[in-house]
Amino acid sequence: MAGPGRQSKLEQAGGPADASGVPEMATIIGYKLRRAQLLVFQDFIDSFAELPLRPAEFSVLALIARTPGLKQSDIAARLGIKRANFVSLMDGLERRGLAERRKAAGDKRSHSLHLTEQGNRFVARMVELWQAHEQRLVDSLGGAAERDRLIALLDRIIGAKG
Amino acid sequence: MAGPGRQSKLEQAGGPADASGVPEMATIIGYKLRRAQLLVFQDFIDSFAELPLRPAEFSVLALIARTPGLKQSDIAARLGIKRANFVSLMDGLERRGLAERRKAAGDKRSHSLHLTEQGNRFVARMVELWQAHEQRLVDSLGGAAERDRLIALLDRIIGAKG
DNA sequence: TATTGTTATACTCTATAACTATA
DNA sequence: TATAGTTATAGAGTATAACAATA
């Protein structure tokens, strides 16, 4: 990792560094990712003032809408949510009448997840609000092509875990 | 927002959507940003197993190293940390003997922040560990040019708040 | 009056262990 | 034995209000 001749390869990993090699925050990938992600989530929250919904709840409803009938554990795993933490999240969606647990056919341990009728209507409005939010983001990036480039780069970081 | 002729502009904001317009998570900017950021922070934490340090602590030490003497509130504001939350973070760095508060010259209310001698040595090692972490990221992206493209795209989202 | 640092507090998110009922 | 769902709990991270000292 640190052989001789290291000095001749300054700035190979990070961006501009001072004499001691301390990087400027503006050039650090993780720092920029965090700042951007916080801003995007804040815009998401603001966009859903009319229909209070957190990003995690949005992702659960969207996934159930697209692939109804999946087991609770499957939904949680696909979204990177621990199954223990998924319980109260799903409780909330059920309490609001948007989604429901049904006894799975074969396996009596598991629940399969579905939207309710009200949930379907909710998701329709949710998608409209989301599109406005996403369009703002795409515009700030400079267009759909830039959006695609950003996602392609993020996918390289995420790798096979996508 | 939703005029007639909307069907002819499908997928303008989001990526592939099903018949009801529900987006696939893999095409959502905020979702990808979150996943990537979590992975990067996890790799950061793993990289600092030898020298336990959280991302926020890293950013504070790096900022003090590059611009010593700034007020506590300035450091916090530049990093997007609420000053109330900055107190215990700084307490930790001071307790570990890495950084210190000094009475500011003019204003008796404020503290100016500096690294200790031990802090300088710590930062030197911290930078080495960080470079290995950052190099892994750059490699996964495909090179420094891709890193620059990613940061440029993130800066468009962040806008003037960077 | 306003600002700096601080305390206290609360809420969200995340992580782990242990329980139950099934398999 | 292992898995699905659940409960309880603890730790971060983050947000606001209020206070003392100082400007």
Side-chain angles (χ1 to χ4, degrees):
Chain A
M1 191 77 240
R6 189 71 182 297
Q7 282 94 334
S8 61
K9 291 168 71 180
L10 276 176
E11 302 184 12
Q12 58 177 357
D18 66 6
S20 62
V22 179
E24 190 184 359
M25 296 312 294
T27 69
I28 297 179
I29 297 167
Y31 180 71
K32 286 288 184 181
L33 272 176
R34 169 175 166 270
R35 299 297 292 248
Q37 190 253 310
L38 289 175
L39 280 166
V40 169
F41 270 38
Q42 190 53 56
D43 186 88
F44 181 98
I45 297 289
D46 296 344
S47 302
F48 280 84
E50 159 201 338
L51 207 76
L53 200 67
R54 285 165 295 184
E57 294 171 325
F58 173 93
S59 66
V60 169
L61 289 178
L63 193 46
I64 296 178
R66 287 182 67 95
T67 56
L70 287 185
K71 280 191 309 178
Q72 201 168 298
S73 299
D74 292 337
I75 301 268
R78 287 207 199 181
L79 297 173
I81 301 172
K82 295 262 179 297
R83 71 189 198 283
N85 295 328
F86 190 87
V87 176
S88 65
L89 200 168
M90 186 62 199
D91 286 346
L93 297 178
E94 214 163 20
R95 214 177 314 115
R96 290 167 74 174
L98 304 177
E100 60 185 7
R101 296 162 162 106
R102 295 185 193 160
K103 293 188 207 300
D107 191 332
K108 286 184 190 168
R109 293 171 302 179
S110 61
H111 297 154
S112 72
L113 303 189
H114 303 262
L115 295 187
T116 61
E117 258 316 301
Q118 190 189 340
N120 280 317
R121 289 191 296 275
F122 184 98
V123 164
R125 179 64 183 141
M126 169 185 103
V127 166
E128 288 180 354
L129 292 175
W130 169 78
Q131 280 174 338
H133 154 78
E134 196 80 358
Q135 188 63 53
R136 262 196 306 282
L137 279 178
V138 172
D139 289 346
S140 76
L141 285 170
E146 307 299 312
R147 185 264 321 273
D148 293 344
R149 284 175 50 200
L150 174 59
I151 288 192
L153 287 167
L154 295 175
D155 277 333
R156 293 188 188 184
I157 290 175
I158 296 168
K161 303 136 203 154
Chain B
M1 187 82 241
R6 188 73 182 293
Q7 282 94 331
S8 59
K9 290 169 74 180
L10 274 177
E11 302 184 13
Q12 59 174 359
D18 66 7
S20 61
V22 179
E24 189 184 359
M25 296 310 295
T27 69
I28 298 179
I29 297 168
Y31 180 72
K32 285 290 183 179
L33 270 177
R34 170 175 165 268
R35 300 297 292 245
Q37 190 253 310
L38 288 175
L39 281 166
V40 168
F41 270 39
Q42 191 54 56
D43 186 89
F44 181 98
I45 297 290
D46 296 344
S47 302
F48 280 84
E50 159 202 336
L51 206 76
L53 200 67
R54 286 165 294 184
E57 296 171 324
F58 173 93
S59 66
V60 170
L61 289 177
L63 192 47
I64 297 178
R66 287 182 67 95
T67 56
L70 286 185
K71 280 189 310 180
Q72 201 168 298
S73 297
D74 293 338
I75 300 268
R78 287 206 201 182
L79 297 173
I81 302 172
K82 294 267 179 298
R83 71 189 198 285
N85 295 326
F86 190 87
V87 175
S88 65
L89 200 168
M90 186 63 200
D91 285 348
L93 297 178
E94 214 163 21
R95 212 177 315 113
R96 290 166 76 174
L98 304 177
E100 60 185 8
R101 295 163 162 107
R102 295 184 193 162
K103 292 189 210 300
D107 193 331
K108 286 182 187 169
R109 292 171 303 180
S110 62
H111 295 155
S112 73
L113 304 188
H114 302 262
L115 295 187
T116 60
E117 259 316 299
Q118 189 188 340
N120 280 315
R121 290 192 296 275
F122 184 97
V123 165
R125 179 64 182 141
M126 170 185 102
V127 167
E128 288 181 354
L129 292 175
W130 169 76
Q131 280 173 338
H133 154 76
E134 195 80 358
Q135 187 63 54
R136 261 196 306 282
L137 278 179
V138 172
D139 288 347
S140 76
L141 285 170
E146 307 300 311
R147 184 264 321 274
D148 293 344
R149 285 176 46 200
L150 173 59
I151 289 192
L153 287 167
L154 296 176
D155 276 334
R156 292 188 189 185
I157 291 176
I158 297 170
K161 303 137 204 152

